[in-house]
Amino acid sequence: MQRKLWMVPKNKRSIPPWWLIKVLNLFNSSSEDREWDNRVKEMLEAKHLKRDFGSYHKNPGGDRTYKSQLECLGLMYTDQDKNLQLTKAGRDLVGGHPEPLLILQKMLIRLQYPSAYSVGHNVAISEEVTVRPFLFLLTLIKELGHLTTEEIGVAVIYGHNHEMAFQRCINKIEELRNGSSFSEILDSEEDIWTTRIKNNPIEDKISYATDDIPNIFENYLESARLIERTTEDKGLISRLTTPGEDLLSQASTELIEYSKKEVKNNKIAFQRRFGAWDGGKDTARADSPEPIKDPEELLIRNEFIEFLSEGIREEEELDEFRGKMHKLGLEQDKVNEIMAKLNGLNTSLFEDRFHKIATEGAKHAREFEQTVVRLLRRIGFDARHTGDLKRPNGSGGYADAYFSYNDEAFLFDAKASEYYSISHGELTKAVHTYIPNWYELCSEHDLPEAEMLKLFGYIAGGYKKSGEVEKKLSEIRDHSAVQTAGLTAWDFFKYVQKNENCSKKDFLDKVMAGGRLKLN
């Protein structure tokens, strides 16, 4: 009997791009130096630091599981000489590609069975399973609107191909939604057979197939910001994000045409084709990044990459990072050189975190407001975070962000919600508090002054209903005689990412077009 359940490595369930870059740096550096791990260990221990994954030695199981994960994702492979090599996707991640999140997104969509991972001895998925599992799930979510973890389990068990199996999964999910239990829709206990759990009770097998494995797939997709998980009446459910919808519309179900036997016999060729994330060919390794042979350089790079992934960094924070490295006894010139090389990747490395804070509500609201202000500064505006300021009479507050340009003032309110709608209360606040008190905001809180308020706008993780936002923006405009706009966080972020230090006028011209905007 052969396993037909989907599987991907579960040693690290959250796989944001910055983390993958860090781990790829470590493996790429150790591939040609058998004493590398010991040198890294000694250096980190001397500075009272630890690695955040695996063992220091390449032989124990710890590092092997991460190697398996990177190979499963199509980022590396083992060549004929047993050395680790990066695929095109891996090289582009380590080499500083400006869109690391896009690489991860496309690699998940490209991931397929059969693959070098799925034919491995410890996985051994049946050759009857010929599918791109993540693409299958995204398509299923689009078809049904959302999926619960248990419903993803249906695809894990029965998503064997993109044709008949797709409708079979829809039918079974509809049975679940109509009240059937999973044991009732399971055709046979053999459907959830694996070597690992073959002797377990049926309840444990169902739990493994409908909870444990689906959770791994959810975490991978969420790390790539292809889905958002939200809690609704039915519990935790997964919905497509805007980038998930966009990439799904471009994706193909066509597999790399290798049989299970051909994959086993041609793992290197398969991995190189799989890793060609942008649709081209991996024809040479001339552009492979040089392995980092200096343990201190690796430490600085990986510390800085993680630092950049946590926020839009400004000069004061960069100085604090330099100070931290100095206290570790690291050479200042080396620190400055590496920071100068990598600092331009700040928005790219922060992208997955930004989507999280833009859509997950109150717990990230203040961080989202501050990030919007920092992104406006990246365009060149002297933007200020004003959401925490109070009016002199103690009644109410102000919009979240303010800046002036050519003697004209601009206000934005930041909403960390995936489905934001301008309620009557929010509309009233805009018309009767934020807009009429803009000059008071400047004069009372020592902000750059302007002669007139030109625009009031919203930047939100997403909007609830098409057409409704435009209507409410029009109402605000009619009541206040001020131009209005509604931007999605995704469009705003991508515009800044692609147009840092662009003409401020170009940005404002696009915003002043009004309505619910797409900037890019």
Side-chain angles (χ1 to χ4, degrees):
M1 192 177 297
Q2 282 190 303
R3 174 193 187 118
K4 294 182 182 178
L5 295 179
W6 294 356
M7 192 58 194
V8 288
K10 63 179 181 179
N11 49 301
K12 174 73 173 173
R13 297 189 181 216
S14 178
I15 52 168
W18 65 265
W19 182 85
L20 292 172
I21 294 169
K22 285 180 61 174
V23 182
L24 285 168
N25 272 330
L26 282 162
F27 274 106
N28 191 43
S29 297
S30 64
S31 62
E32 297 176 2
D33 184 348
R34 299 189 184 279
E35 293 301 315
W36 172 262
D37 280 344
N38 290 331
R39 289 164 60 205
V40 172
K41 177 182 178 181
E42 290 170 5
M43 187 268 293
L44 294 184
E45 287 182 345
K47 298 184 183 302
H48 307 290
L49 299 170
K50 294 182 180 179
R51 279 167 62 178
D52 61 354
F53 76 95
S55 77
Y56 293 101
H57 196 276
K58 293 195 287 294
N59 292 327
D63 277 8
R64 281 206 304 271
T65 60
Y66 287 95
K67 174 176 170 287
S68 173
Q69 189 166 35
L70 296 173
E71 289 181 334
C72 175
L73 292 169
L75 304 178
M76 69 189 320
Y77 62 93
T78 304
D79 66 16
Q80 297 95 328
D81 299 322
K82 305 300 181 185
N83 290 321
L84 298 177
Q85 302 292 348
L86 302 183
T87 64
K88 189 175 191 305
R91 296 197 303 272
D92 285 349
L93 282 172
V94 170
H97 190 279
E99 294 189 276
L101 183 62
L102 180 64
I103 296 175
L104 174 59
Q105 289 168 338
K106 290 204 170 185
M107 289 308 295
L108 288 186
I109 288 173
R110 285 175 61 79
L111 192 149
Q112 71 169 62
Y113 307 133
S115 65
Y117 170 77
S118 74
V119 303
H121 176 70
N122 292 329
V123 183
I125 295 175
S126 168
E127 60 187 340
E128 293 179 33
V129 182
T130 55
V131 68
R132 294 193 190 275
F134 290 100
L135 177 57
F136 189 100
L137 282 179
L138 294 175
T139 309
L140 202 55
I141 293 172
K142 182 178 181 181
E143 181 75 19
L144 296 173
H146 70 270
L147 289 177
T148 66
T149 302
E150 183 182 49
E151 290 167 354
I152 290 174
V154 174
V156 167
I157 299 168
Y158 293 110
H160 300 160
N161 56 64
H162 289 278
E163 290 79 41
M164 293 180 63
F166 187 77
Q167 187 58 49
R168 185 184 188 189
C169 288
I170 289 176
N171 294 343
K172 288 185 177 292
I173 290 169
E174 287 176 345
E175 288 183 55
L176 286 175
R177 292 183 179 183
N178 288 329
S180 296
S181 67
F182 211 97
S183 58
E184 290 174 321
I185 70 161
L186 191 68
D187 294 338
S188 167
E189 191 172 343
E190 293 182 359
D191 295 339
I192 50 177
W193 182 93
T194 74
T195 304
R196 178 174 168 241
I197 63 169
K198 62 183 178 182
N199 297 320
N200 289 12
I202 181 66
E203 296 81 8
D204 291 352
K205 292 179 182 178
I206 291 176
S207 177
Y208 177 66
T210 64
D211 185 30
D212 189 27
I213 299 176
N215 181 257
I216 308 169
F217 279 86
E218 288 173 320
N219 275 285
Y220 276 35
L221 286 168
E222 191 172 40
S223 296
R225 312 315 298 168
L226 292 169
I227 64 166
E228 293 287 353
R229 288 192 285 178
T230 57
T231 302
E232 298 189 9
D233 293 341
K234 297 179 180 179
L236 197 63
I237 64 171
S238 296
R239 296 185 186 276
L240 289 180
T241 60
T242 299
E245 291 178 356
D246 292 344
L247 287 167
L248 181 59
S249 67
Q250 306 165 23
S252 169
T253 58
E254 185 178 346
L255 305 183
I256 300 173
E257 293 184 6
Y258 278 50
S259 68
K260 187 173 181 178
K261 182 178 180 180
E262 288 172 328
V263 172
K264 280 186 174 180
N265 293 335
N266 300 276
K267 284 187 177 181
I268 295 174
F270 176 88
Q271 283 294 95
R272 293 183 70 179
R273 283 189 63 184
F274 174 30
W277 67 275
D278 55 0
K281 291 185 177 181
D282 186 1
T283 54
R285 289 185 3 224
D287 58 344
S288 293
E290 283 292 319
I292 302 168
K293 297 181 179 180
D294 178 357
E296 289 194 355
E297 180 182 346
L298 180 67
L299 169 64
I300 298 166
R301 286 180 66 93
N302 279 356
E303 287 288 314
F304 194 52
I305 284 168
E306 185 167 353
F307 173 76
L308 294 177
S309 76
E310 294 169 347
I312 298 298
R313 299 305 189 179
E314 298 190 326
E315 195 57 44
E316 183 178 339
E317 293 165 314
L318 295 174
D319 286 341
E320 289 175 0
F321 181 85
R322 291 186 185 94
K324 176 184 174 183
M325 296 297 102
H326 179 68
K327 288 178 182 178
L328 292 174
L330 296 166
E331 187 181 325
Q332 201 63 47
D333 287 345
K334 187 183 292 183
V335 172
N336 289 335
E337 181 183 354
I338 292 168
M339 289 177 67
K341 285 180 182 177
L342 297 177
N343 195 38
L345 296 176
N346 191 182
T347 52
S348 299
L349 293 168
F350 179 62
E351 186 171 357
D352 67 299
R353 172 71 185 169
F354 178 76
H355 291 305
K356 182 180 181 68
I357 66 173
T359 57
E360 292 194 354
K363 63 182 177 180
H364 297 303
R366 192 169 186 277
E367 183 183 355
F368 180 57
E369 293 168 16
Q370 293 171 325
T371 301
V372 164
V373 170
R374 291 180 176 216
L375 288 169
L376 288 167
R377 289 175 185 161
R378 286 293 177 102
I379 299 173
F381 298 111
D382 182 15
R384 309 294 179 88
H385 179 223
T386 53
D388 292 340
L389 301 179
K390 299 299 180 185
R391 296 191 61 209
N393 62 9
S395 174
Y398 303 104
D400 296 320
Y402 169 90
F403 64 88
S404 65
Y405 177 72
N406 287 349
D407 285 329
E408 294 176 332
F410 297 81
L411 294 174
F412 281 97
D413 220 28
K415 300 298 180 182
S417 169
E418 187 180 6
Y419 303 106
Y420 178 65
S421 61
I422 304 173
S423 66
H424 176 73
E426 292 287 346
L427 188 148
T428 301
K429 197 184 296 182
V431 171
H432 296 293
T433 302
Y434 294 163
I435 292 174
N437 295 315
W438 74 271
Y439 190 78
E440 174 190 278
L441 170 64
C442 303
S443 59
E444 291 291 334
H445 296 282
D446 195 27
L447 301 181
E449 294 189 4
E451 293 183 0
M452 63 175 290
L453 178 63
K454 186 69 173 178
L455 176 135
F456 173 80
Y458 292 97
I459 299 176
Y463 294 97
K464 193 169 185 179
K465 293 181 181 178
S466 179
E468 182 181 291
V469 174
E470 289 88 340
K471 181 180 177 182
K472 293 294 179 68
L473 290 171
S474 179
E475 287 184 45
I476 295 172
R477 187 164 58 248
D478 292 343
H479 279 92
S480 62
V482 169
Q483 182 66 40
T484 58
L487 286 66
T488 67
W490 169 254
D491 290 323
F492 173 57
F493 186 87
K494 296 304 287 186
Y495 179 88
V496 177
Q497 187 180 49
K498 294 177 181 179
N499 300 278
E500 284 193 43
N501 300 314
C502 71
S503 160
K504 289 177 275 190
K505 183 177 182 301
D506 177 72
F507 173 78
L508 292 176
D509 285 346
K510 287 180 168 58
V511 172
M512 294 301 292
R516 194 160 140 205
L517 304 184
K518 278 190 172 291
L519 290 178
N520 55 337

PDB file of all heavy atoms in Angstrom, residues 501-514:
ATOM      1  N   ASN A 501      11.696  57.227  -3.113  1.00  0.00           N
ATOM      2  CA  ASN A 501      12.354  58.467  -3.551  1.00  0.00           C
ATOM      3  C   ASN A 501      11.858  58.930  -4.915  1.00  0.00           C
ATOM      4  O   ASN A 501      12.568  59.592  -5.664  1.00  0.00           O
ATOM      5  CB  ASN A 501      13.881  58.289  -3.580  1.00  0.00           C
ATOM      6  CG  ASN A 501      14.425  57.924  -2.214  1.00  0.00           C
ATOM      7  OD1 ASN A 501      14.054  58.527  -1.209  1.00  0.00           O
ATOM      8  ND2 ASN A 501      15.289  56.923  -2.173  1.00  0.00           N
ATOM      9  N   CYS A 502      10.610  58.552  -5.239  1.00  0.00           N
ATOM     10  CA  CYS A 502      10.015  59.009  -6.494  1.00  0.00           C
ATOM     11  C   CYS A 502       9.573  60.465  -6.332  1.00  0.00           C
ATOM     12  O   CYS A 502       9.673  61.058  -5.267  1.00  0.00           O
ATOM     13  CB  CYS A 502       8.810  58.151  -6.852  1.00  0.00           C
ATOM     14  SG  CYS A 502       7.400  58.432  -5.759  1.00  0.00           S
ATOM     15  N   SER A 503       9.040  61.029  -7.369  1.00  0.00           N
ATOM     16  CA  SER A 503       8.483  62.371  -7.297  1.00  0.00           C
ATOM     17  C   SER A 503       7.275  62.370  -6.361  1.00  0.00           C
ATOM     18  O   SER A 503       6.348  61.571  -6.510  1.00  0.00           O
ATOM     19  CB  SER A 503       8.039  62.815  -8.705  1.00  0.00           C
ATOM     20  OG  SER A 503       7.125  63.863  -8.629  1.00  0.00           O
ATOM     21  N   LYS A 504       7.295  63.250  -5.368  1.00  0.00           N
ATOM     22  CA  LYS A 504       6.145  63.364  -4.468  1.00  0.00           C
ATOM     23  C   LYS A 504       4.905  63.775  -5.255  1.00  0.00           C
ATOM     24  O   LYS A 504       3.793  63.348  -4.948  1.00  0.00           O
ATOM     25  CB  LYS A 504       6.458  64.367  -3.365  1.00  0.00           C
ATOM     26  CG  LYS A 504       7.491  63.871  -2.362  1.00  0.00           C
ATOM     27  CD  LYS A 504       7.832  64.905  -1.316  1.00  0.00           C
ATOM     28  CE  LYS A 504       8.891  65.850  -1.793  1.00  0.00           C
ATOM     29  NZ  LYS A 504       9.416  66.712  -0.721  1.00  0.00           N
ATOM     30  N   LYS A 505       5.111  64.570  -6.266  1.00  0.00           N
ATOM     31  CA  LYS A 505       3.993  65.012  -7.105  1.00  0.00           C
ATOM     32  C   LYS A 505       3.346  63.823  -7.821  1.00  0.00           C
ATOM     33  O   LYS A 505       2.114  63.760  -7.963  1.00  0.00           O
ATOM     34  CB  LYS A 505       4.473  66.035  -8.128  1.00  0.00           C
ATOM     35  CG  LYS A 505       3.357  66.622  -9.001  1.00  0.00           C
ATOM     36  CD  LYS A 505       3.910  67.673  -9.946  1.00  0.00           C
ATOM     37  CE  LYS A 505       2.798  68.297 -10.780  1.00  0.00           C
ATOM     38  NZ  LYS A 505       2.061  67.294 -11.589  1.00  0.00           N
ATOM     39  N   ASP A 506       4.170  62.867  -8.268  1.00  0.00           N
ATOM     40  CA  ASP A 506       3.620  61.688  -8.950  1.00  0.00           C
ATOM     41  C   ASP A 506       2.673  60.920  -8.025  1.00  0.00           C
ATOM     42  O   ASP A 506       1.586  60.516  -8.429  1.00  0.00           O
ATOM     43  CB  ASP A 506       4.764  60.775  -9.400  1.00  0.00           C
ATOM     44  CG  ASP A 506       4.257  59.488 -10.048  1.00  0.00           C
ATOM     45  OD1 ASP A 506       3.757  59.550 -11.175  1.00  0.00           O
ATOM     46  OD2 ASP A 506       4.353  58.420  -9.394  1.00  0.00           O
ATOM     47  N   PHE A 507       3.100  60.730  -6.775  1.00  0.00           N
ATOM     48  CA  PHE A 507       2.253  60.029  -5.805  1.00  0.00           C
ATOM     49  C   PHE A 507       0.956  60.797  -5.582  1.00  0.00           C
ATOM     50  O   PHE A 507      -0.142  60.226  -5.628  1.00  0.00           O
ATOM     51  CB  PHE A 507       3.006  59.868  -4.487  1.00  0.00           C
ATOM     52  CG  PHE A 507       2.170  59.312  -3.366  1.00  0.00           C
ATOM     53  CD1 PHE A 507       1.881  57.957  -3.301  1.00  0.00           C
ATOM     54  CD2 PHE A 507       1.657  60.149  -2.387  1.00  0.00           C
ATOM     55  CE1 PHE A 507       1.095  57.444  -2.276  1.00  0.00           C
ATOM     56  CE2 PHE A 507       0.880  59.653  -1.353  1.00  0.00           C
ATOM     57  CZ  PHE A 507       0.604  58.293  -1.301  1.00  0.00           C
ATOM     58  N   LEU A 508       1.054  62.089  -5.349  1.00  0.00           N
ATOM     59  CA  LEU A 508      -0.139  62.883  -5.055  1.00  0.00           C
ATOM     60  C   LEU A 508      -1.068  62.981  -6.258  1.00  0.00           C
ATOM     61  O   LEU A 508      -2.297  62.980  -6.103  1.00  0.00           O
ATOM     62  CB  LEU A 508       0.267  64.276  -4.579  1.00  0.00           C
ATOM     63  CG  LEU A 508       0.964  64.317  -3.221  1.00  0.00           C
ATOM     64  CD1 LEU A 508       1.408  65.733  -2.880  1.00  0.00           C
ATOM     65  CD2 LEU A 508       0.051  63.768  -2.127  1.00  0.00           C
ATOM     66  N   ASP A 509      -0.514  63.032  -7.449  1.00  0.00           N
ATOM     67  CA  ASP A 509      -1.367  63.054  -8.647  1.00  0.00           C
ATOM     68  C   ASP A 509      -2.230  61.801  -8.714  1.00  0.00           C
ATOM     69  O   ASP A 509      -3.421  61.858  -9.064  1.00  0.00           O
ATOM     70  CB  ASP A 509      -0.517  63.159  -9.912  1.00  0.00           C
ATOM     71  CG  ASP A 509       0.038  64.564 -10.129  1.00  0.00           C
ATOM     72  OD1 ASP A 509      -0.451  65.498  -9.458  1.00  0.00           O
ATOM     73  OD2 ASP A 509       0.948  64.715 -10.956  1.00  0.00           O
ATOM     74  N   LYS A 510      -1.635  60.661  -8.373  1.00  0.00           N
ATOM     75  CA  LYS A 510      -2.393  59.413  -8.408  1.00  0.00           C
ATOM     76  C   LYS A 510      -3.441  59.382  -7.299  1.00  0.00           C
ATOM     77  O   LYS A 510      -4.581  58.964  -7.502  1.00  0.00           O
ATOM     78  CB  LYS A 510      -1.441  58.222  -8.287  1.00  0.00           C
ATOM     79  CG  LYS A 510      -0.611  57.971  -9.549  1.00  0.00           C
ATOM     80  CD  LYS A 510       0.301  56.781  -9.367  1.00  0.00           C
ATOM     81  CE  LYS A 510       0.913  56.351 -10.701  1.00  0.00           C
ATOM     82  NZ  LYS A 510       1.674  57.410 -11.357  1.00  0.00           N
ATOM     83  N   VAL A 511      -3.057  59.833  -6.103  1.00  0.00           N
ATOM     84  CA  VAL A 511      -3.994  59.837  -4.982  1.00  0.00           C
ATOM     85  C   VAL A 511      -5.148  60.802  -5.243  1.00  0.00           C
ATOM     86  O   VAL A 511      -6.305  60.499  -4.951  1.00  0.00           O
ATOM     87  CB  VAL A 511      -3.272  60.225  -3.677  1.00  0.00           C
ATOM     88  CG1 VAL A 511      -4.267  60.416  -2.542  1.00  0.00           C
ATOM     89  CG2 VAL A 511      -2.263  59.151  -3.298  1.00  0.00           C
ATOM     90  N   MET A 512      -4.837  61.948  -5.833  1.00  0.00           N
ATOM     91  CA  MET A 512      -5.863  62.963  -6.043  1.00  0.00           C
ATOM     92  C   MET A 512      -6.878  62.567  -7.106  1.00  0.00           C
ATOM     93  O   MET A 512      -7.884  63.245  -7.296  1.00  0.00           O
ATOM     94  CB  MET A 512      -5.215  64.302  -6.427  1.00  0.00           C
ATOM     95  CG  MET A 512      -4.380  64.923  -5.313  1.00  0.00           C
ATOM     96  SD  MET A 512      -5.322  65.238  -3.807  1.00  0.00           S
ATOM     97  CE  MET A 512      -6.387  66.536  -4.389  1.00  0.00           C
ATOM     98  N   ALA A 513      -6.615  61.457  -7.792  1.00  0.00           N
ATOM     99  CA  ALA A 513      -7.611  60.961  -8.744  1.00  0.00           C
ATOM    100  C   ALA A 513      -8.896  60.571  -8.022  1.00  0.00           C
ATOM    101  O   ALA A 513      -9.961  60.487  -8.619  1.00  0.00           O
ATOM    102  CB  ALA A 513      -7.063  59.772  -9.524  1.00  0.00           C
ATOM    103  N   GLY A 514      -8.787  60.313  -6.701  1.00  0.00           N
ATOM    104  CA  GLY A 514      -9.973  60.070  -5.872  1.00  0.00           C
ATOM    105  C   GLY A 514     -10.481  58.656  -5.973  1.00  0.00           C
ATOM    106  O   GLY A 514      -9.996  57.820  -6.741  1.00  0.00           O
TER     107      GLY A 514
END
